[in-house]
Amino acid sequence: MSARAAERIESLIEPAVTALGYELVGVEYAPLGHGGVLRVYIDKPGGVTLDDCARVSHQVSGVLDVEDPIHSHYDLEVSSPGIERPLFRVEHYTRFAGERVRIRTFAPIAGQRNFTGVLRGVSGDEVVLSEDEREVRVPFSNIAKAHLAPELKGKQ
């Protein structure tokens, strides 16, 4: 799914999601065989329950049935963003400055497409992160996928 198609779906469903009291974190579409999976990530203070996902799924399904933005068969999944929260919007990169992130780019930057480091924030149209004590600047237009990458401590 192109970024433009994802933005269209977000604009269609965001009013329904926010009317129910949730934040629309973002959407992803994964093509599979003769159809695909449309993932809708939602959040709210205190976290998201299975009942929350069911409520949003019911509302979003109705909107998508009427608007029909995806012309092939797909399954709708509504979920919490989880601890490895995906980052979709500029605001997400600002909000989670100081956190550890993973970013995969469409095109290499200095021969590299995968970056893991501490998110420093946003500068103009670039995401800035520190990776192995060097600053990396990634243009938003080159981000294929990004998510938080917390370091989980094992039990001692």
Side-chain angles (χ1 to χ4, degrees):
M1 170 180 286
S2 70
R4 186 179 188 129
E7 286 174 13
R8 178 166 186 267
I9 290 172
E10 285 182 13
S11 70
L12 290 172
I13 67 172
E14 189 159 28
V17 173
T18 57
L20 291 171
Y22 304 96
E23 171 195 358
L24 176 62
V25 175
V27 300
E28 292 178 333
Y29 181 77
L32 299 170
H34 295 291
V37 176
L38 177 64
R39 290 187 185 94
V40 175
Y41 296 100
I42 61 169
D43 205 359
K44 71 174 186 182
V48 174
T49 67
L50 187 57
D51 287 340
D52 294 325
C53 292
R55 285 182 65 209
V56 171
S57 179
H58 180 74
Q59 283 297 116
V60 166
S61 182
V63 171
L64 295 175
D65 286 348
V66 170
E67 297 294 334
D68 196 27
I70 302 172
H71 302 296
S72 60
H73 172 76
Y74 65 92
D75 293 318
L76 174 63
E77 290 181 3
V78 176
S79 71
S80 152
I83 62 170
E84 289 192 348
R85 180 187 184 105
L87 305 173
F88 294 100
R89 302 175 183 173
V90 174
E91 304 86 58
H92 295 162
Y93 295 94
T94 302
R95 179 175 168 189
F96 293 102
E99 299 289 334
R100 195 164 177 269
V101 297
R102 279 199 183 102
I103 297 176
R104 185 175 69 230
T105 61
F106 291 113
I109 297 173
Q112 186 177 343
R113 290 187 54 212
N114 295 296
F115 301 90
T116 301
V118 176
L119 180 59
R120 295 297 175 210
V122 175
S123 177
D125 64 348
E126 297 177 318
V127 170
V128 181
L129 67 133
S130 295
E131 181 186 61
D132 299 327
E133 299 184 25
R134 69 180 174 118
E135 181 179 274
V136 178
R137 292 177 168 266
V138 181
F140 285 113
S141 61
N142 195 15
I143 297 175
K145 194 166 190 159
H147 61 87
L148 296 181
E151 291 187 87
L152 302 175
K153 305 289 184 203
K155 291 183 180 180
Q156 298 284 332

